[in-house]
Amino acid sequence: MSDEDPAAAAGLARIAIRHAKPSDYGRVIGLINVWWGGRDMAPMLPKLFFIHFEGTSFVAEAEDGELLGFVCGFLSQTADDEAYIHFVGITPEDRGEGLGHTLYERFFQEVRAQGRSVVRCVTSPLNQGSLAFHEALGFEVERIAEDYDGPGEDRALLVKQLT
Amino acid sequence: MSDEDPAAAAGLARIAIRHAKPSDYGRVIGLINVWWGGRDMAPMLPKLFFIHFEGTSFVAEAEDGELLGFVCGFLSQTADDEAYIHFVGITPEDRGEGLGHTLYERFFQEVRAQGRSVVRCVTSPLNQGSLAFHEALGFEVERIAEDYDGPGEDRALLVKQLT
């Protein structure tokens, strides 16, 4: 990675990133089913993430208030040096422009300040775009776990050391 | 509630309750789709709850190791006096025997020891069994929230003060 802010480099400097609030949830859930091509994603992202993990969840908005992306994560309550990213979404129009990186970097900054040195997340091992996105951010595939999130739900387990 | 342990009163004294472990997840997720009458519940209960919230999640096992129930919860990272219960499941054969109460009481004990005085959870406002279960445990319905967990997903918001 260069030292340059990828979002600024891509002309995204006018996008505002702030902590997620419970009142963001309705807007997010209405959009993500569209962003995921009609799949019903709501069961994977209940409102609790916007209520109980505000400090480690962020939304990105355009100047006119349009929602462009979000990231939901939390501090592990089992491993006190770890944080976990549960869900990230970027509007299809802005993918590949650095906004996902910027949201992850904002998360890293927050959890580092709260004493965490390891970030974990999981993705489908078939999702080459997601794997490439995470590898560019410094994640490594720890292993591929069969049936990780239930029968047939294999996952690539990703880990990044914060420096 | 009486002072008597409802599980012991119902002859459940030989059931062991312990912290959930990541290795419990496969067994749980294999059973809950059966317990919920064939609905696919796995998207609502990803493995992360068994990895990152071990300290506030519990399983109940029979003497022969059979899984009889579990509760998954966590400490709110937004409100430092609150804890949240995300999911509870009891094998249909043992419902109404006090095991759900015992699991909740174990959760209350744990989060009280960690300085939490309020427990929240949500349920379907149409689920009279769940509403009665929670009211018997001292929860109150704060309000019914339309579209809470996405379009058409109304929820009764439940709250209990720990004493």
Side-chain angles (χ1 to χ4, degrees):
Chain A
M1 286 186 291
S2 82
D3 291 324
E4 194 173 26
D5 178 341
L12 299 178
R14 287 173 157 189
I15 292 175
I17 293 178
R18 60 165 173 79
H19 285 288
K21 297 178 294 194
S23 58
D24 291 314
Y25 180 75
R27 210 158 47 123
V28 166
I29 211 68
L31 282 169
I32 64 168
N33 290 344
V34 178
W35 292 354
W36 263 263
R39 286 175 62 189
D40 182 15
M41 305 300 284
M44 291 181 59
L45 190 64
K47 188 168 182 170
L48 67 90
F49 287 94
F50 283 70
I51 295 178
H52 295 295
F53 305 116
E54 279 186 46
T56 50
S57 298
F58 300 91
V59 297
E61 288 176 325
E63 280 185 297
D64 64 0
E66 183 193 359
L67 182 77
L68 303 178
F70 67 95
V71 62
C72 282
F74 54 79
L75 307 176
S76 176
Q77 292 179 6
T78 301
D80 64 10
D81 62 339
E82 291 189 13
Y84 185 86
I85 293 179
H86 173 53
F87 213 103
V88 60
I90 306 289
T91 181
E93 290 76 18
D94 282 344
R95 286 182 199 163
E97 302 291 327
L99 181 55
H101 279 233
T102 302
L103 282 164
Y104 267 59
E105 295 285 0
R106 185 68 189 80
F107 178 85
F108 298 159
Q109 176 189 357
E110 180 66 39
V111 301
R112 194 188 290 114
Q114 297 198 40
R116 307 293 162 132
S117 57
V118 177
V119 177
R120 292 183 184 278
C121 56
V122 304
T123 195
S124 164
L126 303 176
N127 189 336
Q128 294 300 326
S130 176
L131 290 168
F133 168 82
H134 286 93
E135 285 170 11
L137 275 162
F139 283 89
E140 291 176 7
V141 176
E142 200 169 49
R143 65 188 175 90
I144 308 293
E146 285 186 18
D147 299 330
Y148 182 83
D149 269 332
E153 297 294 334
D154 301 348
R155 294 289 183 269
L157 311 190
L158 296 155
V159 62
K160 176 186 166 73
Q161 307 292 329
L162 297 180
T163 50
Chain B
M1 288 185 290
S2 83
D3 290 325
E4 193 173 25
D5 178 340
L12 299 178
R14 287 172 157 188
I15 292 176
I17 292 178
R18 61 167 173 78
H19 284 288
K21 297 179 294 194
S23 58
D24 291 315
Y25 180 74
R27 209 157 49 123
V28 167
I29 212 68
L31 281 169
I32 64 168
N33 290 344
V34 178
W35 292 354
W36 262 264
R39 285 175 63 190
D40 181 15
M41 305 301 283
M44 290 180 60
L45 190 63
K47 188 168 182 171
L48 67 89
F49 286 96
F50 282 70
I51 295 178
H52 295 294
F53 304 116
E54 279 187 47
T56 50
S57 297
F58 299 91
V59 297
E61 288 177 325
E63 278 184 298
D64 64 1
E66 183 193 359
L67 183 77
L68 302 178
F70 67 95
V71 62
C72 282
F74 55 79
L75 308 176
S76 175
Q77 293 179 8
T78 301
D80 65 8
D81 62 339
E82 291 189 13
Y84 185 85
I85 293 179
H86 173 52
F87 214 103
V88 60
I90 306 290
T91 182
E93 291 75 19
D94 283 344
R95 285 181 199 165
E97 302 291 327
L99 181 55
H101 279 235
T102 302
L103 282 165
Y104 267 59
E105 295 286 0
R106 185 67 188 81
F107 178 86
F108 298 158
Q109 177 189 356
E110 180 66 40
V111 302
R112 195 188 289 114
Q114 296 198 40
R116 307 294 162 131
S117 56
V118 177
V119 177
R120 292 183 185 277
C121 57
V122 305
T123 195
S124 165
L126 303 177
N127 189 335
Q128 295 300 325
S130 175
L131 291 167
F133 169 81
H134 286 94
E135 284 171 10
L137 275 162
F139 284 89
E140 291 178 6
V141 177
E142 201 169 49
R143 64 188 175 90
I144 307 293
E146 284 186 19
D147 299 328
Y148 182 82
D149 270 331
E153 297 294 333
D154 301 349
R155 294 290 182 270
L157 311 190
L158 296 156
V159 61
K160 175 184 167 73
Q161 307 292 328
L162 296 180
T163 50

